[in-house]
Amino acid sequence: MADRLGDIRVADQVIAVIAGVAVEEVLDVSVRSGGLYQDLAKKINGGAKGITVFVTDDRVTIDMRVSVRYGAPIHQVCHTLQEKVKEAVEALTGLFVEAVNVRVETIEIKNP
């Protein structure tokens, strides 16, 4: 039986950064930066653009705005993204990730 020494709290912006790093491990997807209002809010509060974190009672919900490469199967890419983000946040913070909501806002078309 372990004794509790006190509370451990992980800031929302730390969770957002962990999620942002996890995105880099997934092919064909990137996080979208926010609009003017969201960019300003992120500068004030810290964190990663395009990622919003809500923590309630050791449960985390993450909202992500992403861009997917043209030709990639969107549903597969987003499912992989959800799994990677959930695994990374839970492993590094010990918090339970209740949901990773992904909103695909753009398709990236790259000319060769």
Side-chain angles (χ1 to χ4, degrees):
M1 185 165 150
D3 292 329
R4 264 184 84 151
L5 300 175
D7 290 334
I8 299 173
R9 295 184 185 182
V10 180
D12 293 0
Q13 59 264 32
V14 171
I15 297 169
V17 169
I18 293 168
V21 171
V23 172
E24 295 175 12
E25 297 178 11
V26 180
L27 296 176
D28 301 324
V29 68
S30 60
V31 175
R32 299 280 302 154
S33 63
L36 179 62
Y37 173 75
Q38 187 175 14
D39 285 348
L40 180 60
K42 290 298 177 188
K43 285 180 184 176
I44 293 169
N45 298 325
K49 293 179 182 178
I51 301 173
T52 306
V53 174
F54 305 96
V55 180
T56 309
D57 300 326
D58 294 334
R59 294 183 172 283
V60 180
T61 299
I62 301 168
D63 291 341
M64 306 183 83
R65 299 168 54 232
V66 301
S67 178
V68 176
R69 182 186 56 81
Y70 177 78
I74 294 171
H75 63 287
Q76 288 177 356
V77 169
C78 291
H79 183 71
T80 300
L81 175 62
Q82 289 172 314
E83 289 176 342
K84 290 281 188 185
V85 169
K86 178 178 172 60
E87 289 170 7
V89 171
E90 288 183 346
L92 295 174
T93 67
L95 298 170
F96 174 73
V97 176
E98 193 164 58
V100 178
N101 301 311
V102 179
R103 179 178 175 168
V104 178
E105 292 196 339
T106 62
I107 297 292
E108 289 183 18
I109 301 174
K110 304 243 178 175
N111 292 327

mmCIF file of all heavy atoms in Angstrom, residues 3 29-30 38 46 64-65 93 96 99 108:
data_model
loop_
_atom_site.group_PDB
_atom_site.id
_atom_site.type_symbol
_atom_site.label_atom_id
_atom_site.label_comp_id
_atom_site.label_asym_id
_atom_site.label_seq_id
_atom_site.Cartn_x
_atom_site.Cartn_y
_atom_site.Cartn_z
ATOM 1 N N ASP A 3 1.683 5.220 0.282
ATOM 2 C CA ASP A 3 1.189 6.428 0.937
ATOM 3 C C ASP A 3 1.203 7.578 -0.050
ATOM 4 O O ASP A 3 2.158 7.734 -0.808
ATOM 5 C CB ASP A 3 2.083 6.783 2.133
ATOM 6 C CG ASP A 3 1.951 5.765 3.257
ATOM 7 O OD1 ASP A 3 0.863 5.190 3.401
ATOM 8 O OD2 ASP A 3 2.950 5.562 3.978
ATOM 9 N N VAL A 29 -0.439 13.379 -41.393
ATOM 10 C CA VAL A 29 -1.282 14.294 -40.632
ATOM 11 C C VAL A 29 -0.410 15.334 -39.933
ATOM 12 O O VAL A 29 0.722 15.060 -39.564
ATOM 13 C CB VAL A 29 -2.159 13.527 -39.610
ATOM 14 C CG1 VAL A 29 -1.328 12.921 -38.515
ATOM 15 C CG2 VAL A 29 -3.236 14.414 -39.037
ATOM 16 N N SER A 30 -0.957 16.539 -39.789
ATOM 17 C CA SER A 30 -0.277 17.587 -39.026
ATOM 18 C C SER A 30 -1.329 18.413 -38.305
ATOM 19 O O SER A 30 -2.478 18.504 -38.736
ATOM 20 C CB SER A 30 0.575 18.470 -39.934
ATOM 21 O OG SER A 30 -0.229 19.095 -40.909
ATOM 22 N N GLN A 38 -7.644 31.956 -31.388
ATOM 23 C CA GLN A 38 -7.036 30.792 -30.745
ATOM 24 C C GLN A 38 -5.528 30.972 -30.608
ATOM 25 O O GLN A 38 -4.950 30.604 -29.597
ATOM 26 C CB GLN A 38 -7.352 29.514 -31.511
ATOM 27 C CG GLN A 38 -6.881 28.277 -30.754
ATOM 28 C CD GLN A 38 -7.282 26.988 -31.418
ATOM 29 O OE1 GLN A 38 -7.682 26.967 -32.560
ATOM 30 N NE2 GLN A 38 -7.157 25.904 -30.695
ATOM 31 N N GLY A 46 -0.076 29.392 -23.157
ATOM 32 C CA GLY A 46 0.909 28.367 -23.491
ATOM 33 C C GLY A 46 0.231 27.220 -24.213
ATOM 34 O O GLY A 46 -0.937 27.272 -24.549
ATOM 35 N N MET A 64 -8.475 18.152 -31.260
ATOM 36 C CA MET A 64 -7.383 18.454 -32.186
ATOM 37 C C MET A 64 -7.938 18.891 -33.528
ATOM 38 O O MET A 64 -8.897 18.305 -34.025
ATOM 39 C CB MET A 64 -6.504 17.216 -32.393
ATOM 40 C CG MET A 64 -5.988 16.620 -31.113
ATOM 41 S SD MET A 64 -4.905 15.228 -31.395
ATOM 42 C CE MET A 64 -3.406 16.110 -31.683
ATOM 43 N N ARG A 65 -7.328 19.913 -34.087
ATOM 44 C CA ARG A 65 -7.650 20.369 -35.440
ATOM 45 C C ARG A 65 -6.470 19.989 -36.312
ATOM 46 O O ARG A 65 -5.343 20.403 -36.032
ATOM 47 C CB ARG A 65 -7.865 21.876 -35.420
ATOM 48 C CG ARG A 65 -9.032 22.266 -34.506
ATOM 49 C CD ARG A 65 -9.102 23.748 -34.215
ATOM 50 N NE ARG A 65 -9.127 24.523 -35.428
ATOM 51 C CZ ARG A 65 -8.303 25.546 -35.684
ATOM 52 N NH1 ARG A 65 -7.407 25.926 -34.813
ATOM 53 N NH2 ARG A 65 -8.379 26.201 -36.817
ATOM 54 N N THR A 93 1.575 10.876 -18.243
ATOM 55 C CA THR A 93 0.924 11.651 -17.182
ATOM 56 C C THR A 93 0.229 10.790 -16.138
ATOM 57 O O THR A 93 -0.027 11.269 -15.044
ATOM 58 C CB THR A 93 -0.128 12.613 -17.760
ATOM 59 O OG1 THR A 93 -1.206 11.851 -18.320
ATOM 60 C CG2 THR A 93 0.472 13.552 -18.790
ATOM 61 N N PHE A 96 -6.225 9.354 -17.266
ATOM 62 C CA PHE A 96 -7.034 8.572 -18.195
ATOM 63 C C PHE A 96 -7.541 9.490 -19.308
ATOM 64 O O PHE A 96 -8.152 10.522 -19.033
ATOM 65 C CB PHE A 96 -8.219 7.936 -17.469
ATOM 66 C CG PHE A 96 -9.169 7.232 -18.393
ATOM 67 C CD1 PHE A 96 -8.824 6.025 -18.967
ATOM 68 C CD2 PHE A 96 -10.388 7.793 -18.712
ATOM 69 C CE1 PHE A 96 -9.705 5.369 -19.840
ATOM 70 C CE2 PHE A 96 -11.268 7.154 -19.574
ATOM 71 C CZ PHE A 96 -10.923 5.942 -20.133
ATOM 72 N N ALA A 99 -11.294 10.910 -24.256
ATOM 73 C CA ALA A 99 -11.580 11.094 -25.679
ATOM 74 C C ALA A 99 -10.478 11.911 -26.346
ATOM 75 O O ALA A 99 -9.909 12.812 -25.736
ATOM 76 C CB ALA A 99 -12.916 11.804 -25.864
ATOM 77 N N GLU A 108 -3.948 18.580 -47.289
ATOM 78 C CA GLU A 108 -2.697 19.124 -47.828
ATOM 79 C C GLU A 108 -2.438 18.499 -49.200
ATOM 80 O O GLU A 108 -2.383 17.298 -49.333
ATOM 81 C CB GLU A 108 -1.536 18.814 -46.908
ATOM 82 C CG GLU A 108 -1.555 19.592 -45.627
ATOM 83 C CD GLU A 108 -0.333 19.299 -44.758
ATOM 84 O OE1 GLU A 108 0.676 18.782 -45.268
ATOM 85 O OE2 GLU A 108 -0.413 19.601 -43.566
#
